[in-house]
Amino acid sequence: MKRVIVDYSKLTSDILDLLVEKFPNGYGYRDIITFKNAKDETVRAVEVKTEDTIYLVKISLKLEETMEDYDAEEDNFDEVYDNDVEDLPDEMDED
């Protein structure tokens, strides 16, 4: 299986989909993998997998913002629906 280290600035929509699917409420401390890269720098990442590749996505504030923004774009339908629900009468009021 291939392992690929990815910076947030090079995320594809496919990898973002995997991240949002695996971590819908964000990632926690236990999800973080820490390792040394070839330059002996400490890197923190979260892992997502496809059938043939393990992606280690470097953690940064920008990653969190990118995930939130991407998830928000997909949730626009839910926001519209939630706003419409407020305008509907309660079923209990029909009696």
Side-chain angles (χ1 to χ4, degrees):
M1 189 169 274
K2 183 169 62 169
R3 296 190 95 157
V4 179
I5 300 171
V6 182
D7 190 60
Y8 81 91
S9 62
K10 296 182 180 167
L11 288 176
T12 64
S13 60
D14 291 339
I15 298 172
L16 271 171
D17 284 337
L18 291 170
L19 283 167
V20 171
E21 183 180 317
K22 185 172 181 178
F23 306 109
N25 299 316
Y27 51 84
Y29 180 75
R30 292 179 182 214
D31 301 314
I32 299 171
I33 298 167
T34 304
F35 61 94
K36 296 276 187 179
N37 65 11
K39 297 178 183 177
D40 203 36
E41 300 167 331
T42 300
V43 178
R44 292 185 183 149
V46 290
E47 179 182 273
V48 290
K49 297 179 184 179
T50 62
E51 291 178 16
D52 61 346
T53 307
I54 298 173
Y55 293 99
L56 298 173
V57 182
K58 291 181 186 179
I59 292 178
S60 68
L61 281 176
K62 289 289 187 184
L63 172 62
E64 292 176 25
E65 291 171 6
T66 302
M67 285 176 64
E68 288 172 6
D69 291 345
Y70 187 76
D71 192 35
E73 288 174 13
E74 289 185 350
D75 288 342
N76 283 339
F77 175 78
D78 293 338
E79 291 174 15
V80 170
Y81 180 77
D82 289 344
N83 290 338
D84 292 344
V85 169
E86 293 174 4
D87 299 333
L88 295 174
D90 290 338
E91 290 180 19
M92 303 287 278
D93 293 340
E94 292 179 8
D95 292 304

